[in-house]
Amino acid sequence: MTEERPAGTPVLRRMNRAAVLDAVRRRAPEPVRVAELARLTELTRPTVAQAVEDLLAAGWLRQVAPQQATVGRPATRFSLNGRAAPVLALDVGPHTVTAGLADLAGERLAMIRRPVSRRGARHLLEAVDEATDAALAAAGLAAEQIAAVTAATPGIVEVATGRVLFAPSVPGWPEIDLAGRLRARFRCAVTVENDANLAALAAVRQRTGAGTLLAVQWGERLGAGVVIDGRLHRGAGQAGEIGFIRPTSFLRPTDSIHPTGDHPHRPEDHPHRPEDHPHRPEDHSHPTGDHPHRAGDHPDPAGDGRGPLERAIGAEAIVDLARRRAAGHPESRLARATDAAAVFAAAADGDPMAVEVVDRVAAVFAEAIAPAVLVLSPHAIVIGGGIARAGAVLLDAIARHLEDLTLTPPSVELSELAEGTVLTGAIQLALDEVWRDTLTNC
């Protein structure tokens, strides 16, 4: 005769398993004993022991060799079996693709970078495939073992579908169904998200407490993620596209810096003629399949999709600005600068020309971002990306200029994750997806 069991028992056992697994996750990577889990979950020891047994059988937990005790039998400890549900994160940029694999506890299993050979969607997809294949091989994993995928991409992403609607830095990228391609290969939950939004999520996890945060990704391009009270703010879908801000003191490639640090072209020197206005009446038609903001709406003389702020103070523009400032001064370190890091290093060492260039860059950035600061009143601006290695010389200059332009200046910080901010955010989002599903269905 089969023993009758209360109808609620399977549900209760599932709830108990979820509570125990969540407690182990929160203590990871430190292994825990049954007695500790009973205290953390407020469940009885027999209930915890049964849940642990179920989770061991399902592969979510593993038994850790007991520590040698001075008195009595050593207690058995348990930890997450990280490889039960590894995740894949992709940081897809116009010039480089990074693939990272992490286990259930967030430990990195592999990270592979691949350059993009040529500009365009097809070449970017090739780099995505190469980086993904190499990361899987390095971690000893197969595609069917991956539990969730998050891909970070430049451009505006439609949240519901994961389709990229607008990505001026990668010609043809909106025509590629990246989410669909990844789902077909990995057969798991796939999320495609704007790279700056993922950087913002990573930045907010590094801080204690909720609040309003403006997380800026600053390299050759500029973007931002907005977090309000701990939640990502998307607005109508384009929140944070600061690269397209047109600062009043716009630095063009042909401009130079006066020895005083003043820009030679003041706003009043360039009255806007009707034909110069970026939004002309004839630009408001929306042909089928076209994004409402066509390339002609923004100054793009190089045809690379960069916005005014990116063209003014992106990493490449900073080097160009430094070289122009050092014109006629071959002895200057700026004359030999090959990247923005060299410019910031020279400024940190007190090179007058470098200090002047950094101050000018900080002034343009502060002027561009000040309206957002006045509207949002963020607690902090966190800068990630390649420029995050600039150090105090840039932070101090930005903070000084913001003080003159805002009512309550936020703190200005550099992300501890620097260039790894986006990939970290992508891993976190993929793990969040896994844990939501796991704690519901374990």
Side-chain angles (χ1 to χ4, degrees), residues 142-392:
E144 56 268 21
Q145 294 176 269
I146 302 302
V149 178
T150 296
T153 176
I156 297 168
V157 180
E158 187 176 53
V159 178
T161 64
R163 294 298 296 260
V164 179
L165 302 178
F166 180 57
S169 61
V170 185
W173 196 232
E175 282 71 52
I176 302 297
D177 182 8
L178 180 61
R181 288 172 61 93
L182 292 171
R183 289 188 187 105
R185 178 174 183 182
F186 290 97
R187 307 287 181 179
C188 66
V190 172
T191 303
V192 177
E193 179 60 274
N194 172 267
D195 49 8
N197 283 345
L198 288 171
L201 291 175
V204 79
R205 296 277 181 95
Q206 298 292 308
R207 301 173 60 83
T208 57
T212 299
L213 183 72
L214 190 63
V216 176
Q217 275 299 103
W218 190 350
E220 287 191 25
R221 308 188 67 90
L222 279 94
V226 182
V227 176
I228 300 176
D229 292 332
R231 298 175 63 87
L232 185 66
H233 173 72
R234 301 177 186 277
Q238 302 172 24
E241 292 293 334
I242 64 171
F244 290 94
I245 293 174
R246 188 194 298 268
T248 305
S249 51
F250 182 58
L251 293 175
R252 298 169 178 81
T254 55
D255 291 342
S256 60
I257 298 179
H258 281 182
T260 60
D262 292 337
H263 193 273
H265 302 293
R266 300 185 305 276
E268 58 268 28
D269 294 334
H270 296 285
H272 289 295
R273 296 167 297 175
E275 61 270 26
D276 290 335
H277 196 278
H279 300 292
R280 299 187 299 274
E282 61 270 25
D283 286 336
H284 289 291
S285 59
H286 298 174
T288 303
D290 286 351
H291 190 273
H293 297 289
R294 303 200 306 270
D297 290 342
H298 305 288
D300 187 16
D304 58 7
R306 285 186 292 174
L309 190 60
E310 294 169 328
R311 198 165 299 286
I313 56 170
E316 183 180 324
I318 292 172
V319 176
D320 180 66
L321 190 62
R323 287 177 174 172
R324 286 186 282 115
R325 179 63 186 91
H329 300 275
E331 75 287 354
S332 171
R333 289 171 61 178
L334 295 189
R336 301 182 299 277
T338 57
D339 55 29
V343 178
F344 293 117
D349 290 341
D351 182 292
M353 290 185 183
V355 170
E356 184 182 308
V357 169
V358 172
D359 185 74
R360 189 62 193 151
V361 168
V364 174
F365 176 79
E367 179 189 0
I369 214 74
V373 171
L374 288 168
V375 171
L376 295 173
S377 189
H379 295 86
I381 297 173
V382 180
I383 298 174
I387 300 301
R389 300 194 182 278

Side-chain angles (χ1 to χ4, degrees), residues 13-77:
R13 286 185 65 169
R14 186 165 63 246
M15 292 172 63
N16 293 337
R17 286 195 297 268
V20 169
L21 186 58
D22 190 44
V24 176
R25 173 179 69 135
R26 294 180 186 281
R27 290 291 297 272
E30 179 185 349
V32 289
R33 295 176 289 113
V34 168
E36 292 174 297
L37 290 172
R39 177 176 53 80
L40 292 169
T41 60
E42 298 183 344
L43 299 171
T44 66
R45 284 192 61 155
T47 298
V48 170
Q50 179 62 64
V52 167
E53 184 180 328
D54 292 346
L55 292 167
L56 284 169
W60 290 107
L61 298 184
R62 63 184 181 88
Q63 186 171 315
V64 178
Q67 292 177 324
Q68 292 299 320
T70 55
V71 179
R73 294 176 55 189
T76 302
R77 300 176 301 153

